[in-house]
Amino acid sequence: MITIALDVMGGDYCPDSNIEGALDALKEDKELKLLLVGPSDLISEKISDWDPELKERAEILNATEVISPEESPVFAVRKKKDSTLVVGSRAVKEGRAEALVSAGSTGAVLGSGQLVVGRLPGVLRPPLASLIPTKKGFKLFLDMGANVDAKPEWLLQFAMMGTIYMQQVCHLEAPQVKLVNLGTEEEKGNALTKGANELLKAAEGINYQGYIESRDVIMGEADVIVADAFTGNAILKTMEGTVDFVMGSVKEVLKSSLKTKLAAMLIMKPLKAKLKEYSASEQGGAMLLGLNGLVMKCHGNASGKDIRVALIKSAQFARENVCGVMREAFKEDKEQ
Amino acid sequence: MITIALDVMGGDYCPDSNIEGALDALKEDKELKLLLVGPSDLISEKISDWDPELKERAEILNATEVISPEESPVFAVRKKKDSTLVVGSRAVKEGRAEALVSAGSTGAVLGSGQLVVGRLPGVLRPPLASLIPTKKGFKLFLDMGANVDAKPEWLLQFAMMGTIYMQQVCHLEAPQVKLVNLGTEEEKGNALTKGANELLKAAEGINYQGYIESRDVIMGEADVIVADAFTGNAILKTMEGTVDFVMGSVKEVLKSSLKTKLAAMLIMKPLKAKLKEYSASEQGGAMLLGLNGLVMKCHGNASGKDIRVALIKSAQFARENVCGVMREAFKEDKEQ
């Protein structure tokens, strides 16, 4: 049995889509237990019509407060000791759950992960990692936006964590790791990438393949793509914006005349199917790695299906013992 | 009359496409004179059949060496005193030409711009600026990749230069300036953006509108978009890669069946027309600003048409006295 905590009160469609996702995950995975974190009265009522077998695998963990997106994350995490995020994070910290899934505000999820769940010994900073769609399938990208003003040593550790994730969860033996830079030539780069490049070249246990230009990230030219949080955020947000922009332009063309409207009827179905291949919705949320357990952040507008996927993926993460392997790796790393 | 220097030996299709572009620019702009920089024998022969009136406005400036993309840019600029780039840059420095246009290697063009043409007094770093296609037309983006490890003061100056460019060349009275950041909230950012944000808020003569997230760059939510070179490069290369990727996927769908092939026939023409709206080829090349004259870097695979546009745009830049206005602005800035 694997136990995962769910922040019932996170996200735009809480609590209903979260409860729905919880129900579907329990139905799908018979070895899954859930800690439903939120106001116990409310949750009791919401799950009152569940099948008894499912209800048995769903424990309610009372938490009466909610951290809103408007609050200063660090301040709120410190102050609201009875918030769903803090209570859920404490459950992970204390080993009562292997992971916490939340669609709450990014800052608060990062904050409670770092401050309450806490870093594994030896980990300098926990990166936010995400499986992103590329031409060659889903690849792990980190740091997506957790730690600004990075140091070369942090990027080295991100590469280690990415490697362990891809080995344990995706079963790649020696995942290719590349570092985002503004050119692939050795002499190019800023102080950060040049420093990290030297550390990565010297590191054992990392299949480091050098620099990658940001235009090749979406081409899937590496299994693990490492960047500092500022650059990672810029790349991922630019991808999102550009996809929206280009598809918007294509749609404008398709609506522009009778001829093109006819064409639209002919291609809409295969076009949608193609776009679905690249949809991130089967990948769960973004993962805060390097902690005493996994913290998975779902999109604020997560549907019941998104929550279900996040819970199932978190359980897989726990079964593959990613945290245990990371704990060992960083212990050794610290001892050296 | 405005005189522009052209590196005849730069780019993949030199010298022929460069000569072709030069001819077309002279035909188009009767107030334009060119300095054709390269081996005089070769150029003489290439322009031997030109109309005498055009030939009169084309002076040959002999330069016997070429800097290749394989060479270390700074080293090559220092060593190859008789290279087309160094000779052309010297002509700008000495006031014999207002601008230099080259499709040579980026590093060497940046190097000769900085080392030979030289910075205007008071300018800390010359940014590489480019007009990029957005949902709301072409917007000025800088720095695209000239100066890594930026300081807040540099970004402030980039905002000043971008403002002057948009005022002089695009005749906007108070161009909106935004700074790329990983969120629009005041408390978000790294040390660089937080520092630059404070300077920009306090600056006079800049219509600063705060942060912009990278996903909104392509939406055209500002006239001047400022970023450090590393981030700027990441955003622009990601845009390029993502457009290629999405259009590639659309094309795959269009080829996938008889139905979709029929659709393709119906939409290909309007789709191409739409994409052309966003084509950068009418904008000339990337511009190195803040120097004693303009250095315009064309794409390595520049066609004759691209060279023509770059020459015409450079002449416009000179006629609008962008360098003169910048010189005054930075002199005042220094005096304060």
Side-chain angles (χ1 to χ4, degrees):
Chain A
M1 279 285 171
I2 290 286
T3 304
I4 308 293
L6 172 65
D7 172 7
V8 173
M9 303 309 286
D12 304 341
Y13 304 119
C14 78
D16 288 348
S17 66
N18 298 356
I19 294 287
E20 179 197 328
L23 177 63
D24 291 341
L26 288 171
K27 281 183 190 166
E28 182 175 337
D29 185 342
K30 303 289 175 202
E31 303 291 311
L32 177 67
K33 280 184 70 173
L34 294 180
L35 280 185
L36 301 175
V37 189
S40 53
D41 292 353
L42 175 82
I43 299 177
S44 296
E45 193 215 306
K46 290 280 175 192
I47 70 170
S48 58
D49 60 345
W50 282 15
D51 190 281
E53 188 276 325
L54 297 176
K55 230 192 261 185
E56 218 166 76
R57 288 192 280 125
E59 188 183 332
I60 296 171
L61 193 55
N62 188 43
T64 56
E65 294 176 296
V66 171
I67 298 177
S68 76
E70 291 72 37
E71 293 176 90
S72 157
V74 172
F75 187 74
V77 167
R78 290 212 168 108
K79 206 184 95 196
K80 290 191 165 172
K81 300 286 183 206
D82 202 39
S83 62
T84 51
L85 269 175
V86 172
V87 171
S89 296
R90 213 184 297 132
V92 177
K93 168 77 174 179
E94 292 165 357
R96 297 171 60 197
E98 305 277 347
L100 170 68
V101 170
S102 175
S105 83
T106 307
V109 174
L110 295 184
S112 58
Q114 301 200 31
L115 296 173
V116 184
V117 177
R119 298 192 295 254
L120 288 171
V123 168
L124 297 167
R125 287 292 184 288
L128 196 62
S130 192
L131 286 163
I132 62 164
T134 76
K135 198 164 184 174
K136 296 186 178 172
F138 284 83
K139 306 290 181 181
L140 194 74
F141 191 107
L142 70 178
D143 180 2
M144 279 178 54
N147 312 282
V148 296
D149 296 317
K151 295 185 167 53
E153 294 75 18
W154 304 2
L155 300 194
L156 171 65
Q157 289 200 342
F158 298 169
M160 283 176 63
M161 292 185 228
T163 297
I164 292 171
Y165 179 91
M166 292 307 269
Q167 285 173 331
Q168 299 300 116
V169 180
C170 300
H171 306 113
L172 299 179
E173 203 173 313
Q176 287 201 334
V177 175
K178 289 189 180 175
L179 179 65
V180 174
N181 197 19
L182 76 181
T184 54
E185 301 87 345
E186 275 285 310
E187 74 276 9
K188 286 200 176 169
N190 57 15
L192 176 64
T193 56
K194 284 179 180 173
N197 184 49
E198 291 307 316
L199 293 179
L200 284 162
K201 282 197 288 187
E204 278 176 41
I206 296 174
N207 180 13
Y208 180 55
Q209 300 285 323
Y211 291 133
I212 184 170
E213 283 199 80
S214 35
R215 63 172 297 133
D216 292 325
V217 170
I218 204 164
M219 298 304 159
E221 299 294 340
D223 301 311
V224 177
I225 300 138
V226 175
D228 70 286
F230 198 90
T231 307
N233 180 280
I235 290 175
L236 290 176
K237 296 267 178 74
T238 303
M239 277 183 188
E240 286 176 21
T242 308
V243 169
D244 287 354
F245 176 73
V246 177
M247 290 313 299
S249 300
V250 170
K251 279 178 194 158
E252 256 179 59
V253 169
L254 289 175
K255 281 184 196 161
S256 62
S257 75
L258 213 63
K259 258 192 188 179
T260 60
K261 279 178 192 163
L262 175 62
M265 281 162 53
L266 296 167
I267 60 163
M268 256 322 169
K269 223 175 129 184
L271 195 60
K272 276 189 181 154
K274 185 83 196 169
L275 290 177
K276 219 182 151 193
E277 279 177 35
Y278 302 125
S279 157
S281 67
E282 292 301 328
Q283 306 303 321
M287 299 168 288
L288 200 54
L289 300 179
L291 301 179
N292 292 304
L294 174 68
V295 172
M296 191 176 275
K297 156 79 182 104
C298 297
H299 208 285
N301 64 11
S303 64
K305 187 190 156 193
D306 296 330
I307 297 292
R308 173 183 62 80
V309 173
L311 292 169
I312 297 287
K313 292 277 174 183
S314 297
Q316 186 194 353
F317 186 97
R319 285 195 185 100
E320 304 286 5
N321 190 27
V322 179
C323 278
V325 176
M326 279 191 195
R327 184 186 298 274
E328 285 305 306
F330 283 94
K331 203 166 75 185
E332 285 163 24
D333 193 50
K334 216 179 158 186
E335 279 163 5
Q336 272 168 16
Chain B
M1 280 284 172
I2 290 286
T3 304
I4 307 293
L6 172 65
D7 171 6
V8 174
M9 304 309 285
D12 304 342
Y13 304 118
C14 77
D16 287 348
S17 67
N18 299 357
I19 294 287
E20 178 197 327
L23 176 63
D24 291 341
L26 287 170
K27 282 183 190 166
E28 183 174 335
D29 185 343
K30 303 290 176 203
E31 304 290 312
L32 177 68
K33 280 185 68 173
L34 294 180
L35 280 184
L36 302 173
V37 189
S40 54
D41 292 355
L42 176 82
I43 299 177
S44 296
E45 194 213 305
K46 291 279 177 192
I47 69 169
S48 58
D49 60 345
W50 282 15
D51 190 280
E53 186 276 323
L54 297 176
K55 232 191 258 182
E56 220 166 75
R57 289 191 280 126
E59 187 183 333
I60 296 171
L61 191 55
N62 189 41
T64 56
E65 294 176 296
V66 171
I67 297 177
S68 75
E70 291 74 34
E71 293 177 270
S72 157
V74 172
F75 187 73
V77 168
R78 292 214 166 106
K79 206 183 96 198
K80 290 190 165 173
K81 301 283 182 209
D82 203 38
S83 61
T84 51
L85 269 174
V86 172
V87 171
S89 297
R90 215 185 295 131
V92 177
K93 166 78 176 176
E94 291 164 358
R96 298 172 59 197
E98 305 276 347
L100 169 68
V101 170
S102 175
S105 82
T106 308
V109 174
L110 295 184
S112 59
Q114 302 200 31
L115 296 172
V116 183
V117 177
R119 298 191 296 252
L120 289 170
V123 168
L124 297 166
R125 288 290 184 289
L128 195 63
S130 192
L131 287 163
I132 62 164
T134 76
K135 196 163 184 174
K136 297 186 180 171
F138 284 84
K139 305 291 181 180
L140 195 73
F141 191 108
L142 71 177
D143 181 2
M144 280 178 53
N147 312 283
V148 296
D149 296 317
K151 294 184 167 51
E153 295 75 17
W154 304 2
L155 300 195
L156 171 65
Q157 289 200 341
F158 298 170
M160 283 175 63
M161 293 185 228
T163 296
I164 292 171
Y165 180 92
M166 293 306 270
Q167 283 173 333
Q168 298 299 116
V169 179
C170 300
H171 305 115
L172 298 180
E173 203 173 313
Q176 288 200 332
V177 175
K178 288 190 181 175
L179 178 65
V180 174
N181 197 20
L182 74 182
T184 54
E185 301 87 346
E186 276 284 312
E187 74 277 10
K188 286 201 177 171
N190 57 17
L192 176 64
T193 57
K194 284 179 179 172
N197 183 51
E198 291 307 317
L199 294 178
L200 284 161
K201 282 197 290 187
E204 276 177 43
I206 297 174
N207 180 13
Y208 180 56
Q209 299 286 324
Y211 292 133
I212 183 170
E213 282 199 80
S214 34
R215 63 170 299 133
D216 293 326
V217 170
I218 204 164
M219 298 303 159
E221 299 294 340
D223 301 311
V224 177
I225 300 139
V226 176
D228 70 286
F230 198 91
T231 307
N233 179 281
I235 290 175
L236 290 176
K237 296 267 177 75
T238 302
M239 278 183 187
E240 286 176 22
T242 308
V243 169
D244 287 354
F245 175 74
V246 177
M247 289 313 298
S249 300
V250 170
K251 278 179 194 156
E252 256 179 60
V253 168
L254 289 175
K255 280 184 198 162
S256 62
S257 74
L258 213 63
K259 258 190 185 177
T260 60
K261 279 177 192 163
L262 175 63
M265 282 162 49
L266 296 168
I267 60 164
M268 254 326 169
K269 223 174 130 183
L271 194 60
K272 275 187 183 155
K274 185 84 196 168
L275 290 177
K276 219 181 151 195
E277 278 178 36
Y278 303 124
S279 157
S281 66
E282 291 301 328
Q283 306 303 322
M287 299 167 287
L288 201 54
L289 301 179
L291 302 178
N292 293 303
L294 175 67
V295 173
M296 192 176 273
K297 156 78 181 103
C298 296
H299 208 284
N301 64 12
S303 65
K305 187 189 155 194
D306 296 330
I307 298 291
R308 173 183 64 79
V309 173
L311 292 169
I312 298 287
K313 291 278 174 182
S314 297
Q316 187 195 350
F317 186 97
R319 285 196 185 100
E320 305 285 6
N321 189 28
V322 180
C323 278
V325 176
M326 280 193 196
R327 185 186 299 274
E328 284 306 306
F330 282 95
K331 205 166 73 184
E332 285 163 26
D333 193 49
K334 218 180 158 185
E335 279 164 6
Q336 272 168 13

